[in-house]
Amino acid sequence: MITLYLFRHGQAGTRTDYDTLSDLGRRQARLLGESLVAQQVRFTAAFSGALARQQQTAAEVRDAYASAGVPFPAIEIDTHWNEFDLDGVYRDLAPVLAAEDPQFRAEYEEMLRHSADQSHSIHRRWTRCDILVLRAWVEGRLPSTGETWQAFQERVTAGRDRLAGFASGSDLAVFTSATPMAIWAGLALGADSRTRVRLAGALYNSAYMVLRLRPDDLSLFSFNNVPHLNDPALRTFR
């Protein structure tokens, strides 16, 4: 049996510069690393998606181990764990939805206006526009030039082959994002696409889940763990 720890990245940047950790996101990631050290969690290998926010989270955890004098494995980059391209989905689908739905168009234009203000709350919450764009992409009812929902799920779950090659008893760290984590949780639970999306929306920044991988089975052991975020002000979703 292999134990998998899947970690969501810390709080990211604004909508206009999302692929980087905010100051709070770096703090969340560092606290995550310190908590893992305190729990005496030791990893056989560590992987990260190629996105900056994923690699920065991994680096903060690694540095927490180094500060404590505890070994941490070299972090290998694996693009299977990249999040889907929300900006690309917006570019493809938002104009179509705006043409179909006047309410969506008005809300989308308002969202774009507010996004110019780096301090606006629009950067830290999901909007109705986000939900409608994501739903249209998952359902596949509108044409998209990028990765489809089905292709995205297949790409994320294909990472299983590499992990399954480790010896029984290995503890593996994977630094990724909310939707890949939700897909793996859904795979373990036999959940449909709608449930997987809802699981992604429930994950805190820097949360982790633990799975047990056997040759013929994948079990979810725990989900959305945040023992390092004992102050409610540290718990964010976006």
Side-chain angles (χ1 to χ4, degrees):
M1 180 180 67
I2 297 167
T3 301
L4 306 179
Y5 291 78
L6 269 58
F7 302 99
R8 189 188 179 195
H9 60 77
Q11 185 190 63
T14 62
R15 285 177 178 266
T16 53
D17 187 24
Y18 190 71
D19 193 23
T20 185
L21 292 187
S22 67
D23 289 343
L24 176 57
R26 290 185 180 276
R27 183 182 177 196
Q28 291 167 335
R30 187 58 177 243
L31 289 170
L32 169 61
E34 292 171 355
S35 175
L36 293 168
V37 170
Q39 295 177 63
Q40 300 184 20
V41 179
R42 305 293 182 262
F43 295 107
T44 308
F47 301 91
S48 172
L51 301 178
R53 60 190 184 271
Q54 298 169 338
Q55 294 188 63
Q56 290 166 4
T57 300
E60 290 289 341
V61 170
R62 177 200 62 205
D63 291 350
Y65 272 73
S67 294
V70 179
F72 193 85
I75 300 165
E76 300 181 49
I77 304 303
D78 186 342
T79 57
H80 286 107
W81 297 103
N82 286 5
E83 182 63 280
F84 73 93
D85 180 11
L86 180 58
D87 288 341
V89 172
Y90 252 105
R91 284 192 297 271
D92 284 345
L93 303 189
V96 181
L97 291 172
E100 292 178 348
D101 183 350
Q103 183 180 355
F104 176 90
R105 181 174 65 250
E107 293 175 358
Y108 180 53
E109 291 172 350
E110 181 181 27
M111 186 184 77
L112 292 177
R113 286 196 302 271
H114 289 322
S115 294
D117 178 358
Q118 300 298 295
S119 64
H120 199 280
S121 64
I122 199 75
H123 297 287
R124 298 302 173 203
R125 58 183 171 85
W126 281 88
T127 68
R128 179 174 174 271
C129 289
D130 297 323
I131 294 169
L132 292 178
V133 165
L134 182 58
R135 183 180 298 163
W137 178 64
V138 169
E139 293 173 353
R141 64 180 181 83
L142 296 175
S144 176
T145 60
E147 190 175 41
T148 65
W149 168 249
Q150 184 60 37
F152 170 58
Q153 293 185 97
E154 291 172 357
R155 187 249 295 167
V156 169
T157 55
R160 179 172 182 163
D161 292 341
R162 187 175 188 183
L163 303 179
F166 283 86
S168 179
S170 297
D171 293 325
L172 308 180
V174 178
F175 297 90
T176 182
S177 297
T179 322
M181 291 174 66
I183 288 170
W184 271 69
L187 186 65
L189 297 172
D192 60 16
S193 289
R194 181 178 180 184
T195 302
R196 295 180 185 194
V197 171
R198 291 174 70 87
L199 287 170
L203 282 162
Y204 290 109
N205 291 120
S206 76
Y208 65 93
M209 68 182 197
V210 182
L211 302 108
R212 302 281 171 79
L213 176 62
R214 296 180 176 86
D216 58 351
D217 185 50
L218 179 68
S219 301
L220 181 64
F221 187 71
S222 64
F223 182 79
N224 213 14
N225 301 301
V226 286
H228 54 294
L229 303 181
N230 51 13
D231 181 350
L234 294 174
R235 298 176 199 152
T236 60
F237 293 98
R238 187 183 176 97

